[in-house]
Amino acid sequence: MRLLPLPLALTARLSPVAVLATAGWALSSGPLAPAPAAGHEPAPDRTATQSATAPSTTQVSKSYATAPAPCTALTEKTITSLVPGAKKAGKEIPSTDVKLRRTCSWNALKGYDYRWLDVSFEIMDSGAAAQKSYQGRTAEKSGGGAVPGLGDEAYSVVNLTTEDKQQTREGEVIARADNALVVVTYNGSDFETKKAPSTDEINKGAIKAAKEAMAALKGGQAG
């Protein structure tokens, strides 16, 4: 539908209103507006000032920046007790990024008794990321229980496996402190009797190593 032009009478009535509105703008805030009097500066834009000075909330704080040396995390006494006959220095496992993950391993066969111990440190971007990893790992390992007094949270589980009539009992402790995880794996076998060490022996050994490893982690805390 074609728009019809306004009647001349209505156009004549609206024109003065438009002229007055334009004039009002020019006098109040346009080019003809008077300059502010001395001592009466325009109020600053508080929104812009607050935006410029407001602290950023995107920065993520974390307690640990790098993984400590795992092969010096345990005392010689503990290594001798848990892995008789093992070299005290242990062997560090190659890692793609030693700042984020480091693992040391000790193993030895003394007589017919075999023991293996691994200690790992894993550093994550935030406490939330470490907690998510901790929850995922512990959910996969049923039959264990919480370890009180170890980091922010800790879990221990022991399992028995049999292969060619040879038993092996393995314990694992997963502990979290803010954005870091400490993971200890400890297992053993007796090749003479074909039996495995008791659940209590393996569980206590893994927890002892985890507590010392946690102390080593906190000793190198970045703050």
Side-chain angles (χ1 to χ4, degrees), residues 90-112:
K91 180 180 181 181
E92 184 161 357
I93 308 301
S95 173
T96 55
D97 191 338
V98 294
K99 287 186 177 181
L100 303 181
R101 181 184 174 90
R102 297 183 73 175
T103 301
C104 191
S105 180
W106 295 265
N107 63 86
L109 176 64
K110 186 172 184 180
Y112 293 98

Side-chain angles (χ1 to χ4, degrees), residues 181-197:
L181 292 180
V182 173
V183 182
V184 170
T185 304
Y186 180 49
N187 64 47
S189 301
D190 185 326
F191 293 132
E192 182 178 28
T193 64
K194 300 289 186 178
K195 301 295 184 180

Side-chain angles (χ1 to χ4, degrees), residues 2 7 19 43 55 62 79 93 98-99 132 158 166 188 194 209:
R2 185 169 63 88
V19 171
K62 54 185 181 180
I79 296 169
I93 308 301
V98 294
K99 287 186 177 181
K132 182 177 180 181
V158 178
Q166 173 63 61
K194 300 289 186 178

